[in-house]
Structures are given as structure tokens and as C-alpha cells.
Amino acid sequence: MAGNNANKSINNSQNTNNGKVMTKYDRKVAKRKEEEKRLQREKIIFRAVTAGIIAGILIAAAVICGMRYYKIHNRFISVDGDNISQIEFDMYYNVSKKAAMSQSVYGNMTMADYYSYMGYKSSENDKSQTNSQTGKTWYEYFADNALTTIKEYKALIKDADNSGFDYTTGDDDYADFTKQISDAASESGKSVADYYKQSFGQYATEKNVKKYVMEYLKANAYQSKLTEGMTATEAEVREYYDEHKDTYDQVDYREFTITAIDSTDGEMQQAKAKADEFVAGVSDEKSFIELCKRNAADGETKYDTDEGSLHSKITSTGMDKGTSEWLLSDERKSGDVTVIENTSSHCYYILYFINKSYDGSKDETIASNVLNEKYSAYITKLTENMQTNTYNLSLIHISEP
């Protein structure tokens, strides 16, 4: 009885709430309400966390966009304490690259031809191609050139300002520039806007590159004025020639070639013996000519005339490396004869020296070289202490000159 009374007391306390008896249904409803409250709390927390994450993403995106905008429009690199935007850098990159590509190497060959020989493809992205000589990408190669040009032109601007240079033709020069751009765009079938991007970089517009173009034109104008005072004198041309005679001297000589059947020692020895026998019979130029005719291979008609063995006004660039040293030596005198071996072609050259001279035909080239050396020395003094910073950007790794 006591136990039953105790159980009833316990049940009464559990089922009573402010005097109301809790039925099974009431307990079920209460439990459902508690679950709904829990879910609501979790939903509120989830919304708060999600909002925080989204806010964080938006802030990060804003920071990234801000950094990208700053790099493009304000500081991609710095040169001598001045910020260089990517717009400006890209302009110099494209301008200096074009200048390099159009530079003449030899004859009709340009640097563009030489780069192509090295594997460069203008149709592909510079960053995706490796320069076989430097081991860096072609982008890095051209970026190095661009940095050198930027330093030169920034130095010219500062020097112009310090020297009081008055750039009075700026507006006219810029008008000529924009006309050239417009004409070139029309000829290529492009809009002016597209041509700016093609010529000066993906972010370039006529408006945002104008200040950089104006500065570039001013530097060019000052450079022209500066170099006017660096023109080479006759004495300087002569001095330069004396120091580089082997480059400019022209040689008249005769040559006969005796070729071995192959490069084996036995065949080369036989060819050498024939060459030595030939030389032993040379007493003057006329005898050399006759020996050429007598020793010509069957069917060889080259030496049928007296001019067959003659080489006139040949400079070092037109000589075999093995023969140029002997022909250009200051010890040479008319009538000298020698035999020079060419192992790669398994042959021997028999050379008869006539004379060496310089006719002054390269004086303009020499004067240009003298001026370039003066200008280079002047610019080096202005730029040698310039500090650059690329801020460890992943897109560019410029090596210091």
C-alpha cells in the first residue's frame, strides 16, 4: 500500500503543471514545440555563419579586385622610386619588343628572323615559350628588354627636366602619333580601340596610355637633341677604324681548294702533299693562276679563267674563320702563300695574298658606332644606380642588368 501510494504521488507530481494534468498527447505536443524551437535556433545560427562566410568572400574578392586594379593602373613594378603601372609596362614591353624584332642583323635578315630560328613563334603566347639560349620564357626575355628601355627613358625625362629642355612640339608629335595609329588600324581592318590593345597591351586605351605616350615622345625628342652633340668627328672615325681594322679592311687574294676523298688520315695526308707541291710551284700571281688550271679536278670549269681563283675586296664576314686570321694579319705582304687545313670539310685551302685596303665605304657605319658608344656611356651613367622592384609578381621575373 505504501509503495502504491508513493507511485501515485510521483505520477501526480509528473502529470501536474500549475494544477493541470499532463496527458500523453500534451507531452507529445510539448516535445514537438521544443524541437521546433531547436531547429529555429540552428537556422538562425546557420544564417549568421553563412552571412559571415559570404561577407568574408566578398571582402576577399574586393581586396583581390582592388589589388588587381592597383597593379594595372598604379604599381606593377617600380623604377628609381617611381611606380610603373601594368598599362605603362605593357606599352614599353610591346614598343621595345617591336623595335628589337625589326632590328637588322645582316643583309635582309632581322632579329625577328633570328628569333624564329631560335624557335620563337609570334602566334603563341610569350609566357608559354622558352628561350633556348636563356632558359627563361620569351616573356621574361622581352620583359628584361622592356625594363632596360623604361630605365633609359625615365632617365632621359629626368635629365631633360634637369637641363631645362623645352618640349614645344609635344602636341604636334602626339597628333602625328594618333594619326599613325588611326591609319595603321584602318589598314589592318581593326578599330582604333582594338589596335591600341594589339599594339600596347590588353589594358591599353587611347585615353589611359596618352600620358605615357606623351612622356615617351618627350624622351625621344630629348634623345635626338642629346645625340646631335655626340656626332663623331673625322678623328674619332679614324681612331675607331684603327681599333677595328680586321672588321673593315678589305682583302684581295686568290684561293685554290684541294679536297680529300674522305677525312681519314691517309686521304688527308695525300691531299696535304698535293697542296704542298702546289705551293712549291708558286713564284708569283701568274704562276698561281696557271697551277689552279693545271690542278683543277676533271670537269671543274671554275678555274678556266684567270678570275676563277680571285676574291676581291672581301671583309672578315665573308671569310672562313680559318683563313681570316692569316689574311688579315698585319704581317701579310703581297705574294705570301700558305696552306690552311679545314678538317670539317676534309680539305686544304691554298691562299695567295695580293693586298689589303680600306676605301672608306664604311665611314658612316663607323660614325654611327662611335655615336652609339658615346650615347651608351652617357645613359649608363644615368641608369647604373637606378633601383627596380618587381614585388615578386608571379607573372614576371626580371633579372637585373
Side-chain angles (χ1 to χ4, degrees), residues 74-77 79 82-86 88-89 150 154:
N74 294 288
R75 188 180 70 179
F76 184 62
I77 63 170
V79 174
D82 293 334
N83 288 338
I84 307 296
S85 70
Q86 187 168 357
E88 183 176 9
F89 181 86
I150 290 171
K154 294 298 180 183

Side-chain angles (χ1 to χ4, degrees), residues 329-349:
S329 172
D330 288 337
E331 297 178 358
R332 289 285 72 75
K333 61 184 184 296
S334 182
D336 283 353
V337 184
T338 193
V339 175
I340 295 177
E341 181 181 18
N342 185 328
T343 54
S344 61
S345 299
H346 53 86
C347 68
Y348 288 92
Y349 301 124

Side-chain angles (χ1 to χ4, degrees), residues 16 19 31 65 102 107 109 111 117 158 204 245 256 307 375:
T16 302
K31 184 176 181 182
C65 288
S102 61
M109 183 180 180
M111 286 301 293
Y117 175 77
K158 289 183 179 180
K245 281 187 176 182
F256 185 82
E307 289 73 30
Y375 176 75

Side-chain angles (χ1 to χ4, degrees), residues 152-205:
E152 175 187 351
Y153 275 66
K154 294 298 180 183
L156 284 170
I157 290 296
K158 289 183 179 180
D159 198 49
D161 292 341
N162 291 336
S163 64
F165 174 67
D166 188 12
Y167 184 42
T168 59
T169 61
D171 290 339
D172 291 338
D173 290 346
Y174 184 73
D176 290 341
F177 170 84
T178 55
K179 186 178 185 306
Q180 290 173 13
I181 292 293
S182 179
D183 291 345
S186 179
E187 289 175 8
S188 63
K190 295 180 179 295
S191 67
V192 170
D194 287 342
Y195 196 81
Y196 265 91
K197 293 185 185 302
Q198 175 185 294
S199 302
F200 304 115
Q202 61 181 320
Y203 304 111
T205 66

Side-chain angles (χ1 to χ4, degrees), residues 322-380:
T323 64
S324 62
E325 184 176 349
W326 185 83
L327 288 168
L328 292 167
S329 172
D330 288 337
E331 297 178 358
R332 289 285 72 75
K333 61 184 184 296
S334 182
D336 283 353
V337 184
T338 193
V339 175
I340 295 177
E341 181 181 18
N342 185 328
T343 54
S344 61
S345 299
H346 53 86
C347 68
Y348 288 92
Y349 301 124
I350 303 171
L351 303 177
Y352 182 92
F353 182 82
I354 300 173
N355 62 60
K356 180 173 66 172
S357 62
Y358 174 66
D359 60 7
S361 61
K362 296 296 182 180
D363 278 359
E364 286 188 11
T365 301
I366 292 174
S368 178
N369 289 342
V370 171
L371 186 150
N372 287 338
E373 287 189 357
K374 289 181 180 180
Y375 176 75
S376 178
Y378 187 87
I379 287 297
T380 297

